Amino acid sequence: MAQGVDEQQVDERAVARAAEALRAGELVILPTETVYGLAADAANPDAVARLYEAKGRPSFNPLIAHVADLDAAQRVAVFDERARRLAHRFWPGPLTLVLPIRVPAQVSDLARAGLDTVAVRAPAHPIARALLAAFGGPVAAPSANRSGRPSPTTFDAALEETGAAAAAALDGGSCRVGLESTVVALLDAPRLLRPGAVTRAEIEAEIGPLAEAEADAKRSPGRLARHYAPNAPVRLNAAAPEPGEAFLGFGPGHAGPLNLSAAGDLREAAANLFAHLRAADATRPRAIAVAPIPEEGLGEAINDRLRRAAGFVG
């Protein structure tokens, strides 16, 4: 069972060392409630370049600026009433807002992929919050995997992916949410750019209907068609595995060691998704077959990640 963020103990000395590493332009592995991140000083273009290099990430893919709270976010981005309403409702938590940049120097042009907007979020994990408070500025922290790979949701997986590039690493246990944050752009009509644990219905209950994402898609991380991908090809909506395939089940009708949720619980499935993809990939299968996942609620986000892992969005 994933350890809840409220149960985490903050090692203040480790956090202080990590904050010093960020100030020195080094990279740091940090836990959030969504996935583990590889962090750099968002204002330092050299550190951000090192971050892109460590991930092998295309420079046109913008990074999320993580901040301690709403006050810190408003020093970086221009908030309107809709943005403040969402921040008050869902922060700290797994929601990223794409907004006009207020002070470009606080989040480097490289971290914003040359855009006039910034993606900003206040994470809920107490270790991430402690680091942000100790550092005192925005931190660019994409998931701590090599670009295109499944995101790490455990400390060991983060170390395996990008630990060699980090000067410090903070262990926060298993990530409670297990999927990257929901991304909403608030530039004209509000748009859902990436589904996540904060669902479309929850967002629309606060600010009204969401428009189609395409107009602002380039402003969100995680929008590459092939993303979150294991080495083995992924086959979706599979009733059963074919010979040589590993199988990710969902629901009580699927026996086997890699059932995303035997109870058919979408939150449990989200928390298990990337770890199960990694476990399946470690068996070196011919392919990874995945049982159908309902599209409603959190299923929209799970299916988005699975379609990108399979190399297409539909």
Side-chain angles (χ1 to χ4, degrees):
M1 179 180 293
Q3 188 172 19
V5 295
D6 292 340
E7 300 168 12
Q8 293 296 331
Q9 298 298 314
V10 176
D11 182 335
E12 293 183 359
R13 287 181 295 180
V15 167
R17 289 193 296 269
E20 283 302 314
L22 290 175
R23 293 188 190 99
E26 302 291 344
L27 306 182
V28 171
I29 286 176
L30 84 159
T32 78
E33 74 279 17
T34 58
V35 299
Y36 272 79
L38 184 64
D41 177 358
N44 183 337
D46 291 335
V48 173
R50 188 175 295 116
L51 177 56
Y52 279 122
E53 183 179 22
K55 284 181 60 67
R57 187 185 182 102
S59 60
F60 55 77
N61 203 1
L63 306 178
I64 295 173
H66 293 70
V67 295
D69 52 31
L70 177 56
D71 286 344
Q74 291 185 120
R75 291 194 288 271
V76 172
V78 178
F79 275 66
D80 62 14
E81 182 55 35
R82 301 169 303 175
R84 281 188 288 271
R85 192 177 308 148
L86 289 175
H88 283 302
R89 173 68 177 82
F90 298 110
W91 280 4
L95 176 67
T96 294
L97 301 176
V98 175
L99 301 166
I101 185 70
R102 181 183 294 278
V103 182
Q106 288 205 43
V107 181
S108 67
D109 186 69
L110 185 59
R112 291 182 283 108
L115 299 169
D116 58 359
T117 55
V118 61
V120 63
R121 157 169 122 85
H125 198 294
I127 294 176
R129 292 173 61 76
L131 177 61
L132 290 165
F135 178 64
V139 169
S143 53
N145 52 290
R146 297 184 301 278
S147 186
R149 293 269 299 154
S151 301
T153 56
T154 66
F155 183 62
D156 288 346
L159 290 180
E160 179 183 352
E161 285 285 328
T162 53
L170 299 172
D171 185 353
S174 296
C175 298
R176 172 175 57 84
V177 174
L179 289 178
E180 298 83 2
S181 61
T182 303
V183 180
V184 175
L186 295 168
L187 304 174
D188 42 42
R191 301 179 191 275
L192 179 64
L193 303 189
R194 182 176 73 182
V198 178
T199 66
R200 179 188 299 269
E202 290 175 315
I203 295 163
E204 290 185 335
E206 293 293 325
I207 62 171
L210 293 165
E212 292 301 314
E214 283 70 17
D216 293 318
K218 69 178 182 178
R219 302 182 185 277
S220 175
R223 293 286 301 184
L224 297 178
R226 183 163 174 81
H227 205 74
Y228 317 113
N231 292 317
V234 175
R235 184 169 67 90
L236 304 181
N237 298 313
E242 296 177 354
E245 289 185 331
F247 186 59
L248 299 190
F250 178 78
H254 293 123
L258 294 177
N259 193 318
L260 293 170
S261 173
D265 184 309
L266 289 171
R267 290 199 175 273
E268 182 182 14
N272 286 332
L273 177 60
F274 290 128
H276 280 22
L277 275 174
R278 288 176 177 278
D281 205 34
T283 67
R284 300 184 182 277
R286 180 175 66 82
I288 300 171
V290 185
I293 307 293
E295 278 284 349
E296 67 266 12
L298 191 52
E300 180 182 14
I302 296 170
N303 281 308
D304 172 80
R305 305 312 192 273
L306 285 170
R307 283 191 286 266
R308 294 179 193 279
F312 67 92
V313 180

